[in-house]
Amino acid sequence: MKITKDHIIMGGITIAGLALLLRNQFQGPVWDPVSEERIKKLHPAVQAKARKFLNLAAKEGIYLRVTDGIRTFAEQEAIYAQGRTKPGEIVTDARGGQSYHNYGLAIDVVPMVNGQPNYDDDYIRISQIGKSLGFTWGGHFRRTDKPHFHLSFGFRIAELQNKVSKNELTNGFVNV
């Protein structure tokens, strides 16, 4: 019989089983059911990295909640109107179709402390974790947006808009 790594048993578990457990620790469901539901609605290509992001942060004692994920163009327009034609502060320069959120490629996160969101966090360690996974951080935007992280897959917004207009979609998401 040929012995493979799948046959080596350590403490009653195969190495393959141990690897699966370790992978799921970072890519399995996140600590927060609210965030998990929001992650499930993201572009399929983003979901695993979003989970890994939250799970890596949690491993360091930073419990992030996804406050926003995918947005419709209409929802984006409503946020854009805030501080312009609607009450409130201006929070975005992106109109409908001009945000990575509109394509399911972005998340906004906030650290939760004692069950409450802490928007006063400096986001430095959070940004390091996100950037280590390939996310672009909104903390470097012209209008600073510390909670924002997105994966562009090398596509600019104009290219994503073009994919939508050409119906280059799979299950309602742009092909990335």
Side-chain angles (χ1 to χ4, degrees), residues 23-44 46-55 58 63-70 107-110 112:
R23 182 182 63 91
N24 285 343
Q25 177 183 0
F26 296 112
Q27 295 179 0
V30 298
W31 73 276
D32 176 37
V34 171
S35 296
E36 182 61 30
E37 287 306 309
R38 291 177 177 148
I39 290 170
K40 286 178 182 177
K41 295 176 183 174
L42 294 171
H43 192 295
V46 174
Q47 292 178 19
K49 277 205 178 175
R51 286 186 183 100
K52 189 170 186 176
F53 181 12
L54 269 66
N55 287 332
Y63 295 94
L64 298 176
R65 170 164 286 169
V66 174
T67 59
D68 217 348
I70 192 165
I107 56 174
D108 292 343
V109 298
V110 64
M112 300 296 285

Side-chain angles (χ1 to χ4, degrees), residues 76-105:
Q76 188 69 36
E77 280 295 329
I79 294 169
Y80 179 80
Q82 188 176 317
R84 293 178 174 87
T85 58
K86 305 258 177 165
E89 293 181 35
I90 293 175
V91 294
T92 186
D93 291 326
R95 299 194 74 139
Q98 297 176 345
S99 169
Y100 285 98
H101 285 283
N102 301 143
Y103 305 94
L105 303 175

Side-chain angles (χ1 to χ4, degrees), residues 153-171:
F153 296 95
F155 294 103
R156 295 184 322 266
I157 292 292
E159 293 169 306
L160 296 171
Q161 291 170 330
N162 191 38
K163 285 178 169 286
V164 170
S165 70
K166 290 181 176 181
N167 203 30
E168 294 178 12
L169 309 171
T170 302
N171 296 323

Side-chain angles (χ1 to χ4, degrees), residues 1 18 43 60 73 99 121 127 132 142 144 150 173 176:
M1 177 172 126
L18 181 61
H43 192 295
E60 293 189 26
F73 286 21
S99 169
D121 192 280
S127 71
S132 78
R142 185 173 50 87
T144 302
H150 73 259
F173 291 102
V176 293

